[in-house]
Amino acid sequence: MARQTRRNAKAREAASSSDDDATSQTVMNGKGNGSAHLSSEVPDSTDKENIFLFWPNQIGYARIVLAFASLYYMPLHPRTCSFLYSVSCLLDALDGYAARYFEQSTRFGAVLDMVTDRCTTSCLLVFLSSAFPRWAIVFQGLIALDFSSHYMHMYATLVVGGVDSSHKNIDKSQSWLLNLYYTNKGVLFTFCALNELFFIALYLLSFSSPWVSPHLVKSVEETSGTHIDPGSQLNSSILSQLFPDPFSAAALEMARANKMDSFVPWALVVISFPIMFLKQVINGIQLVKASRWLADVDVKNRKAKGLPRAKKAA
């Protein structure tokens, strides 16, 4: 009897050892639960992607550098400023293409792109406010409309559609115009490009056309007592009255600017104005639609909470 008991004990020990070996082998092969299951779900730190170094985002950083450079040259160097500013705007189309090509579309990149657009345009409008003080309230209104409409639209999209929604995913039932604007890449590029082109052309006219910038010749008339026809080019004698040193960098830049034929900037203004105006109309519609979407969400939330509460009978 004791001998049989010892045999049974040895058999149980052998079976237990076999089960432990099988379990260990299963865990090592990653086919079991427990630690193996956890290790399969925990991402390897070496495989973590650096979103900040994605190609579209690097293009976004380049846009910011070019925008700052254009602001540096903005007061006195219209040609250099316009070139840098235009390249920064054109890269806006390239980063979207890179995001699709490299499959690197990110929320950070989308927000970076929008913030860069809003800030660069606003900085140019601030300069135009100083160049055309009589129209400052118009440029200030455009800045306010641009920021408020895009912020309200972005916030409404997140509230209505959730965190995975995009501000460009607008259904036709919500607004056919916004749907066309955001889903058609050709329409979006045309509106954005001509909108910026209009403001760049106005910027060039502030240097090249005394018809819209009479301060270019006003100080000369006050000091010399002579009349200067609007649109006339500045020569060295006029520069000597404007600047202590007619060969200084500012004087030479002013001379180059006023040798610029204002016909091209005027043509660009006329061509781009209709699209610029429609872009502001779209901003207004975007602001109104987003406000209504948020209001509808508020009404539903209040009804879910039983609000407004029924007044108690006196």
Side-chain angles (χ1 to χ4, degrees):
M1 186 69 178
R3 184 176 300 174
Q4 185 177 2
T5 302
R6 288 195 295 270
R7 288 175 182 171
N8 293 338
K10 290 181 178 180
R12 286 194 298 271
E13 291 176 2
S16 176
S17 176
S18 177
D19 291 341
D20 291 341
D21 292 339
T23 302
S24 301
Q25 185 67 26
T26 302
V27 171
M28 291 178 64
N29 292 335
K31 299 178 180 179
N33 297 323
S35 60
H37 178 70
L38 292 175
S39 63
S40 64
E41 290 192 356
V42 176
D44 188 0
S45 60
T46 59
D47 296 334
K48 183 178 179 181
E49 293 183 301
N50 192 337
I51 300 297
F52 299 106
L53 296 182
F54 277 10
W55 285 110
N57 298 335
Q58 293 191 50
I59 295 175
Y61 306 148
R63 290 188 61 203
I64 295 174
V65 172
L66 290 171
F68 270 107
S70 69
L71 296 180
Y72 175 79
Y73 288 107
M74 188 171 285
L76 288 175
H77 299 272
R79 291 182 177 84
T80 304
C81 171
S82 299
F83 173 76
L84 295 173
Y85 189 94
S86 299
V87 173
S88 177
C89 292
L90 291 175
L91 287 178
D92 187 20
L94 181 60
D95 62 2
Y97 174 80
R100 294 185 294 270
Y101 181 82
F102 294 105
E103 296 183 342
Q104 293 180 341
S105 299
T106 59
R107 293 187 182 91
F108 169 76
V111 174
L112 176 67
D113 185 59
M114 178 178 289
V115 170
T116 303
D117 291 338
R118 304 285 74 75
C119 291
T120 51
T121 304
S122 298
C123 290
L124 179 55
L125 291 176
V126 168
F127 180 87
L128 293 178
S129 296
S130 62
F132 308 106
R134 292 182 180 180
W135 300 94
I137 189 172
V138 175
F139 296 118
Q140 292 165 353
L142 292 176
I143 294 173
L145 177 62
D146 193 36
F147 269 99
S148 59
S149 65
H150 283 84
Y151 177 81
M152 189 77 76
H153 179 71
M154 176 73 77
Y155 189 80
T157 303
L158 294 176
V159 171
V160 175
V163 295
D164 292 330
S165 59
S166 171
H167 68 283
K168 294 184 178 181
N169 294 334
I170 305 298
D171 191 77
K172 288 184 178 180
S173 61
Q174 296 174 306
S175 174
W176 69 267
L177 183 59
L178 292 180
N179 173 268
L180 176 65
Y181 176 75
Y182 278 116
T183 59
N184 191 309
K185 294 181 176 61
V187 172
L188 182 62
F189 176 81
T190 301
F191 271 73
C192 293
L194 292 182
N195 181 69
E196 296 295 339
L197 184 62
F198 175 81
F199 296 125
I200 293 174
L202 278 185
Y203 165 72
L204 292 175
L205 286 177
S206 70
F207 284 89
S208 62
S209 178
W211 285 106
V212 293
S213 298
H215 65 274
L216 290 176
V217 296
K218 184 177 179 180
S219 60
V220 179
E221 292 180 345
E222 292 176 349
T223 55
S224 63
T226 58
H227 174 72
I228 299 178
D229 294 328
S232 61
Q233 298 179 358
L234 296 183
N235 52 41
S236 58
S237 61
I238 296 178
L239 289 176
S240 63
Q241 299 177 55
L242 279 172
F243 301 96
D245 182 7
F247 297 100
S248 65
L252 294 177
E253 179 57 34
M254 181 64 76
R256 287 192 297 269
N258 285 274
K259 288 180 180 178
M260 182 192 308
D261 187 1
S262 61
F263 173 77
V264 173
W266 272 116
L268 295 178
V269 166
V270 173
I271 293 172
S272 58
F273 175 78
I275 300 299
M276 184 280 302
F277 182 79
L278 288 177
K279 176 71 165 61
Q280 309 315 315
V281 172
I282 291 176
N283 284 344
I285 295 175
Q286 182 173 252
L287 178 61
V288 173
K289 290 286 185 180
S291 300
R292 290 178 177 175
W293 296 339
L294 290 175
D296 291 341
V297 172
D298 289 334
V299 170
K300 293 179 181 179
N301 290 338
R302 286 176 61 81
K303 285 184 177 180
K305 295 178 182 179
L307 299 175
R309 302 184 190 280
K311 294 183 180 180
K312 294 181 179 180

